[in-house]
Amino acid sequence: MTDQQKRTTLAGLRAKKTAGEKIVALTAYDCLTASLLAECPVDFILVGDSVANVVLGYSSTLPMTMDEMVYHTKMVVRGAGGVPVIGDMPFLSYELSPEEALRNAGRFIKEAGAAGVKVEGSIDVIPAIRKITSAHIPVLGHVGLKPQSVLELGGYKVQGRTESQARRIRAEARALEEAGVFAVVLECVPRAFAGRLSKALRVPTIGIGAGPACDGQILVTHDLLGWTEKPKKFVKPYASVRAVAREAITAFARDVKAGEFPDAEHSF
Ligand code: KIV
């Protein structure tokens, strides 16, 4: 049986948690990257609004629009070869009203062919999440460091270090579970706290900068490949794509300048 035939569905992620089998998720923003992930044992692909920082050159995720997120999700679905694709709901696409949230979540499903959506879950948006799950759209929650709250937080800082922060994150995660999410992303929280929260929740936790006790892990693919310039503390670059690409491009430039490319073999 190939990895593709053994693919987990979103509904099957809960069984993985019960069986103690780790869940693997990664980001993609385009068809080419999605097709690469589809060749690997990845349980789901997230079209993160981190596309803003990673490829669009913004300093936060706040400028992303619904049209841009749907555009990127369409590309990813075309390359994903059946791996479930989750579209990340951008800032102000779900906060205004539950009806607006459902309309926007529906765009990821109807226009882009996504399998579900991700929402950064504060208590205020629980009615919106309930509205989306009641329309049978799978929702991935997100607590801990929520990048769309960067202005309020005053930067990208580890969350859950103080008792009041930990209490708030626990309450948000429980409310998300109650609202019917299929899993919860835990971003940048202390590992011991993440372990306790993962045990307390019935739905799987997907960690990023949250230590090894989460039920699964997600990273930005560009970070994992060593393509981005300054990896964060929690990223382990498994390759040096940026260095390899720089070497290749420099070699190309050298050959062009020396009149050695194209040679006979690469000409008609
Ligand atoms: O936007 C994103 O890519 C994310 C994660 C990596 C969890 O939210």
Side-chain angles (χ1 to χ4, degrees):
M1 196 181 253
T2 66
D3 281 333
Q4 215 137 7
Q5 287 163 322
K6 281 188 283 180
R7 293 260 184 244
T8 322
T9 60
L10 294 180
L13 296 181
R14 187 85 81 99
K16 282 203 159 201
K17 172 169 179 137
T18 309
E21 210 183 310
K22 294 284 187 185
I23 296 161
V24 178
L26 282 167
T27 59
Y29 315 124
D30 60 58
C31 179
L32 186 63
T33 311
S35 70
L36 172 65
L37 298 184
E39 294 171 9
C40 309
V42 170
D43 292 309
F44 69 87
I45 298 174
L46 173 69
V47 187
D49 61 356
S50 54
V51 63
N53 312 91
V54 180
V55 304
L56 301 184
Y58 290 117
S59 60
S60 81
T61 58
L62 302 180
M64 292 310 293
T65 65
M66 269 304 299
D67 284 348
E68 288 169 323
M69 289 308 299
V70 167
Y71 170 75
H72 282 281
T73 306
K74 279 184 187 173
M75 290 187 231
V76 171
V77 169
R78 286 199 286 270
V83 180
V85 173
I86 305 300
D88 206 355
M89 295 195 66
F91 180 56
L92 291 191
S93 68
Y94 52 92
E95 294 92 333
L96 302 180
S97 72
E99 288 70 27
E100 179 84 359
L102 176 55
R103 194 173 304 114
N104 283 326
R107 288 191 61 192
F108 281 102
I109 311 300
K110 289 169 77 98
E111 294 176 36
V117 297
K118 178 166 83 61
V119 180
E120 293 188 11
S122 65
I123 294 295
D124 289 342
V125 298
I126 294 298
I129 293 169
R130 227 181 263 289
K131 185 83 177 167
I132 300 170
T133 57
S134 68
H136 314 290
I137 297 176
V139 176
L140 174 63
H142 185 154
V143 299
L145 173 58
K146 290 178 287 190
Q148 291 175 16
S149 306
V150 64
L151 298 179
E152 183 185 51
L153 296 173
Y156 299 100
K157 302 170 186 162
V158 175
Q159 299 295 303
R161 279 193 164 140
T162 65
E163 189 38 49
S164 73
Q165 281 180 358
R167 205 175 314 114
R168 181 177 42 76
I169 295 168
R170 256 194 313 270
E172 288 171 347
R174 289 216 172 96
L176 285 168
E177 180 168 89
E178 192 61 30
V181 301
F182 69 85
V184 179
V185 169
L186 280 187
E187 178 161 354
C188 285
V189 296
R191 51 191 282 171
F193 172 66
R196 287 195 297 278
L197 192 51
S198 300
K199 276 211 182 94
L201 293 176
R202 294 185 303 276
V203 294
T205 56
I206 313 293
I208 174 160
C214 296
D215 301 304
Q217 298 291 329
I218 186 164
L219 280 180
V220 167
T221 300
H222 293 64
D223 289 341
L224 138 77
L225 293 178
W227 193 345
T228 39
E229 272 173 299
K230 293 181 207 120
K232 297 156 201 88
K233 174 180 161 55
F234 59 79
V235 173
K236 175 175 172 186
Y238 282 81
S240 304
V241 164
R242 196 174 180 89
V244 169
R246 193 189 304 112
E247 225 170 89
I249 294 162
T250 306
F252 167 73
R254 199 178 45 232
D255 283 359
V256 170
K257 287 174 201 282
E260 287 171 13
F261 180 87
D263 53 12
E265 194 190 336
H266 298 97
S267 303
F268 298 104

